[in-house]
Amino acid sequence: MSANAQWFRSRNRTLSTRLVMAGGFVGALLVLTLSMVFSWPVKVTASAGDQAAENLKAAFAAPPGSCLNWAPDGSDMRQTPCETPHLFEVTGDVDIAAEYNASAPSPTDEAWREIAKKRCTDGAAAYLGGKLDPFGKYSVGALKPSNEQWRDGDRKFRCGLQRAAPSGKALVPTKNSAKNQNQSDVYDAGTCLALVDKNVGDPIECTKAHAYEIVGVIDLGETFKDGGFPLEEQQQTAMLDQCPKLAADYSGGLNLADKKLTLTWDTRKQESWDAGSKLAVCKVGAPLPDNSGLAPVTGSIKSAAAAVPPTPTTPGG
């Protein structure tokens, strides 16, 4: 990431493998943090004809390549066509019965994370054709057996791919199979990301206070067509050359300085480049005068309505 874009960086995007665990509970699911471990819903024992129960049974048995979705409260987990919005794409099943016999207690949350890291990451990379961008939009996830399932002897957990929001506290729905997607961690132009404690949060309406607004996406692969990894300085030059035009086209020529806004951008790390992630975003935000983070911006620059609250002054200042 570029130095001038450093103040846009999410504090939750530092894990090298970006392994997260998520899942659904029948009735309710509060995704407090993706570093927590979540279970599948309890084993379905509802009577035949219960559509939610049938959906859950199908999801539980979904083979690799299947996509799963569930409601915001965690209910109604079901298998869905990957062409439709979904939260989880199954990459494989792992059985740990050889390590945990029928009387063994369920692993701790930390142990589950380590197990999934060891047993899911390589499989996810293979599922994607051998390349998994450690800084890309897809995270390796896992759904572990519920306590009831564990007591009944179920020792399988499902590995999968999902997209975590910048805050690390929610999942972002994706469309189409991850196998066919560019892994660059970018959002479309027009997306605004919330401001949380002077840092980057999750996608939000641009009419609400936000950290920055995406104004364009650049394919650095088109700029550096020889395929070799461009140095940071080269990427900076390319983004500096292209982002101002995209911002001007997007905003209708708005003078950002008049609005106390700053244009910045991302660059790509070599690990991402080698995995084929060559897209980078141009974005607009407002760094605080002391460079301690970001100021809230309300309104889209596309409508020239973006505004930054005035900087507070000290008494007598």
Side-chain angles (χ1 to χ4, degrees):
M1 181 169 285
S2 61
N4 67 330
Q6 190 63 35
W7 37 269
F8 281 124
R9 189 171 186 174
S10 170
R11 68 188 66 177
N12 295 291
R13 302 300 294 273
T14 58
L15 295 178
S16 60
T17 61
R18 297 181 60 223
L19 173 75
V20 292
M21 312 280 286
F25 297 99
V26 172
L29 169 63
L30 298 179
V31 182
L32 301 178
T33 168
L34 292 181
S35 64
M36 296 177 66
V37 180
F38 293 107
S39 305
W40 280 82
V42 295
K43 183 178 293 184
V44 175
T45 57
S47 60
D50 185 326
Q51 190 60 54
E54 293 301 316
N55 290 341
L56 183 57
K57 288 171 64 176
F60 192 81
S66 302
C67 292
L68 309 180
N69 198 35
W70 50 86
D73 66 355
S75 64
D76 195 26
M77 180 181 281
R78 63 176 62 203
Q79 186 174 344
T80 187
C82 291
E83 293 75 21
T84 63
H86 57 272
L87 297 174
F88 194 86
E89 183 169 349
V90 181
T91 60
D93 293 342
V94 174
D95 194 327
I96 57 174
E99 295 87 355
Y100 294 88
N101 60 35
S103 61
S106 177
T108 64
D109 287 356
E110 182 60 34
W112 270 118
R113 286 192 287 272
E114 287 302 311
I115 292 169
K117 179 179 178 180
K118 292 177 181 178
R119 304 290 293 272
C120 289
T121 304
D122 289 346
Y127 180 84
L128 292 173
K131 294 182 178 181
L132 174 61
D133 181 356
F135 305 103
K137 68 180 179 181
Y138 292 112
S139 303
V140 177
L143 295 166
K144 71 180 183 66
S146 68
N147 290 335
E148 180 181 340
Q149 290 167 329
W150 184 270
R151 288 193 298 269
D152 287 346
D154 192 334
R155 297 295 185 266
K156 282 187 178 181
F157 64 95
R158 277 72 179 175
C159 300
L161 292 165
Q162 55 204 19
R163 185 174 193 183
S167 69
K169 296 181 180 180
L171 297 180
V172 177
T174 60
K175 285 185 177 181
N176 301 313
S177 172
K179 284 184 176 181
N180 305 316
Q181 297 298 307
N182 187 295
Q183 296 182 45
S184 302
D185 189 18
V186 298
Y187 288 92
D188 294 337
T191 302
C192 287
L193 297 183
L195 180 67
V196 180
D197 297 329
K198 302 181 183 181
N199 214 302
V200 180
D202 300 342
I204 192 174
E205 295 179 7
C206 292
T207 54
K208 298 179 180 179
H210 54 267
Y212 63 79
E213 181 175 358
I214 308 299
V215 299
V217 179
I218 290 174
D219 186 350
L220 288 170
E222 290 297 312
T223 302
F224 303 98
K225 295 184 177 181
D226 63 358
F229 175 66
L231 299 177
E232 172 74 12
E233 293 77 8
Q234 294 174 299
Q235 294 186 55
Q236 289 279 359
T237 299
M239 297 299 283
L240 176 61
D241 180 59
Q242 299 179 63
C243 281
K245 183 179 186 306
L246 288 182
D249 290 346
Y250 178 86
S251 67
L254 180 68
N255 187 318
L256 298 178
D258 286 349
K259 294 285 187 176
K260 300 180 181 179
L261 297 170
T262 298
L263 174 65
T264 187
W265 46 80
D266 289 341
T267 57
R268 298 272 73 91
K269 295 179 180 292
Q270 183 160 4
E271 297 94 328
S272 297
W273 192 270
D274 291 344
S277 300
K278 301 177 181 180
L279 304 182
V281 297
C282 309
K283 49 196 179 183
V284 168
L288 291 168
D290 62 0
N291 290 319
S292 63
L294 294 161
V297 180
T298 56
S300 171
I301 66 170
K302 200 166 188 177
S303 62
V308 181
T311 302
T313 58
T314 56

